[in-house]
Amino acid sequence: MEFVKVAMMRTIAHIVDRGRWGFLAAWIIAFVILRLMAPDWNQVTRDGQFSFLPANSPSRIADDLFKKAFPHDVLSSSIVVVASRPQGPELSDEDREFVTSTLKPRIQQAVEPERQAASRG
């Protein structure tokens, strides 16, 4: 079995070595043809993190609401946390206390290393 692998690799190496200029020319021709056939970059890309999602997806809805609420915030790395209760329209005082005293400090602690790196760079 090992002999077959070695013989196969030698054969491939011999073919590539003898036809290296042909292989190089074929790659260049393929690149040029594909480049000429490829659509314009702006036709196949979209700006925005959520632009590829359907308009009714939760992420797109949240992104639209964020843009309406903070129209001048140009950072793409903002964090938005939505706290809600499924059984009622309002949060309890205990919920608000948890968000203020536990959740917010933990998020700030997690973001702080990136904030420091951004201020250095």
Side-chain angles (χ1 to χ4, degrees), residues 17-92:
D17 185 49
R18 289 185 69 209
R20 65 182 170 262
W21 298 113
F23 279 105
L24 181 61
W27 276 107
I28 291 171
I29 290 168
F31 173 77
V32 170
I33 290 172
L34 289 173
R35 180 65 184 111
L36 292 172
M37 293 175 55
D40 182 48
W41 182 255
N42 293 326
Q43 290 178 338
V44 293
T45 60
R46 294 185 185 151
D47 189 26
Q49 294 175 313
F50 305 112
S51 58
F52 63 92
L53 295 172
N56 62 347
S57 70
S59 295
R60 280 287 293 271
I61 294 168
D63 189 47
D64 292 341
L65 290 172
F66 181 82
K67 287 177 183 174
K68 287 178 187 173
F70 307 103
H72 302 294
D73 189 357
V74 293
L75 299 176
S76 63
S77 61
S78 299
I79 297 174
V80 176
V81 177
V82 178
S84 66
R85 284 257 176 216
Q87 65 268 31
E90 292 193 22
L91 297 176
S92 68

